[in-house]
């Protein structure tokens, strides 16, 4: 799918140059000439990347970055700054800009930085997508440490989270207490294996609110298994 870029730049000549060069690289490009218009187009289009001039009419690029980052920590933002504008560079990076490009710039460098930012963002999305573990209506993301069941967010302690990850990664396999303890508590843990039963009980309670089906089952004389509800 073609990636989209929003250029927020009030100098018409620079904006047009950027549009031509980026479209030649295969990107879909929109242009805004002020902070207000940039915010409107960002909200409408949800672009894959923003090229954002710091000095803009309406409100500044730094203010636009602040408003974007208030609700979006992921979309790459590259600042276009004046050569001597150290304060703007620092402010932008502190507010969450991914990179900055100093004017006047070489178009080859700008395109390389755009490619790098998009590649990094794509890699993060892939990690998050690949990190979901599921069983029935239970979902767990290892990268973001989110746990949900039927859309309900479930809060787990770090140990409870690690236990659930191990059970999900070994879904439908019967696991004895020693296996669970070694994987979750580590080889050097010398505590009672009853701690496994205690934490299984904690996790079960959190997963089965509102009369939901049990996902973690006891296998008498052996241990536990997590499997989809029938």
């Amino acid at each position: 799918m073609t990636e989209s870029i929003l250029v927020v730049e009030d100098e018409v000549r620079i904006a047009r140059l950027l549009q031509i060069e980026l479209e030649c690289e295969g990107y879909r490009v929109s242009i805004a000439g002020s902070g207000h218009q940039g915010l409107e187009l960002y909200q409408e289009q949800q672009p894959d990347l923003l090229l954002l001039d710091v000095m803009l009419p309406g409100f500044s690029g730094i203010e636009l970055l602040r408003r974007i980052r208030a609700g979006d920590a992921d979309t790459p933002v590259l600042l276009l700054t004046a050569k001597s504008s150290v304060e703007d560079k620092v402010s932008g990076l502190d507010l969450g800009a991914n990179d900055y490009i100093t004017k006047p710039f070489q178009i080859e460098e700008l395109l390389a930085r755009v490619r790098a930012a998009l590649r990094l963002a794509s890699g993060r999305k892939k990690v998050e997508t690949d990190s979901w573990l599921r069983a029935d209506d239970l979902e767990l993301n290892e990268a973001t440490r989110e746990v949900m069941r039927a859309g309900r967010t479930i809060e787990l302690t770090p140990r409870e989270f690690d236990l659930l990850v191990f059970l999900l990664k070994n879904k439908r396999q019967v696991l004895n207490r020693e296996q669970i303890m070694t994987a979750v508590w580590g080889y050097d843990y010398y505590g009672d294996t009853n701690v496994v039963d205690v934490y299984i009980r904690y996790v079960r309670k959190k997963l089965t609110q509102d009369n939901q089906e049990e996902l973690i089952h006891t296998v008498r004389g052996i241990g536990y298994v997590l499997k989809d509800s029938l």
Side-chain angles (χ1 to χ4, degrees):
M1 186 173 63
T2 303
E3 291 164 308
S4 61
I5 295 176
L6 174 59
V7 176
V8 189
E9 167 63 71
D10 64 317
E11 293 188 47
V12 176
R13 183 181 61 82
I14 294 177
R16 181 59 180 154
L17 170 66
L18 290 170
Q19 182 178 29
I20 291 171
E21 294 290 347
L22 290 166
E23 286 181 344
C24 284
E25 293 292 309
Y27 302 113
R28 287 184 291 111
V29 181
S30 298
I31 294 177
S34 69
H36 289 102
Q37 187 184 14
L39 183 60
E40 288 176 3
L41 286 180
Y42 162 76
Q43 292 171 337
E44 287 175 13
Q45 299 178 0
Q46 296 295 297
D48 296 303
L49 180 141
L50 286 91
L51 275 172
L52 180 57
D53 187 29
V54 170
M55 299 298 293
L56 292 170
F59 52 77
S60 71
I62 296 296
E63 174 62 18
L64 177 53
L65 173 63
R66 186 189 67 78
R67 296 189 187 197
I68 289 170
R69 284 293 182 249
D72 176 0
D74 300 320
T75 302
V77 177
L78 277 58
L79 295 179
L80 301 174
T81 70
K83 188 171 184 178
S84 60
S85 183
V86 175
E87 185 177 337
D88 286 336
K89 295 172 185 175
V90 172
S91 297
L93 292 172
D94 284 345
L95 283 170
N98 299 79
D99 202 351
Y100 64 84
I101 300 163
T102 302
K103 294 180 179 180
F105 51 81
Q106 296 293 323
I107 194 65
E108 292 80 7
E109 179 188 3
L110 182 142
L111 293 173
R113 290 179 185 246
V114 166
R115 288 193 296 268
L118 287 170
R119 191 163 53 243
L120 186 61
S122 177
R124 281 198 300 266
K125 287 179 183 177
K126 186 175 187 304
V127 167
E128 290 188 9
T129 301
D130 292 348
S131 294
W132 283 103
L133 300 172
R134 294 179 175 84
D136 200 59
D137 55 356
L138 173 67
E139 299 176 296
L140 179 150
N141 190 298
E142 286 190 272
T144 62
R145 301 187 74 84
E146 296 173 89
V147 181
M148 294 182 292
R149 185 164 188 197
R152 172 176 62 89
T153 298
I154 298 170
E155 299 293 336
L156 298 178
T157 66
R159 188 75 74 185
E160 291 168 351
F161 182 87
D162 292 343
L163 172 59
L164 186 55
V165 167
F166 183 64
L167 293 173
L168 280 166
K169 284 186 173 180
N170 294 277
K171 188 169 66 171
R172 293 187 291 273
Q173 295 184 44
V174 178
L175 303 165
N176 62 44
R177 290 170 179 80
E178 288 74 19
Q179 287 175 296
I180 297 172
M181 179 162 287
T182 297
V184 179
W185 278 264
Y187 289 98
D188 55 353
Y189 183 81
Y190 295 105
D192 194 326
T193 56
N194 284 340
V195 72
V196 173
D197 302 324
V198 172
Y199 274 83
I200 288 286
R201 189 162 63 249
Y202 292 160
V203 174
R204 271 178 170 162
K205 184 176 180 181
K206 292 182 178 182
L207 295 185
T208 55
Q209 295 180 16
D210 305 321
N211 297 316
Q212 290 170 309
E213 292 284 338
E214 182 63 74
L215 297 178
I216 303 174
H217 304 271
T218 301
V219 180
R220 290 190 178 278
I222 303 177
Y224 300 97
V225 59
L226 186 148
K227 57 184 179 180
D228 301 310
S229 59
L230 300 177

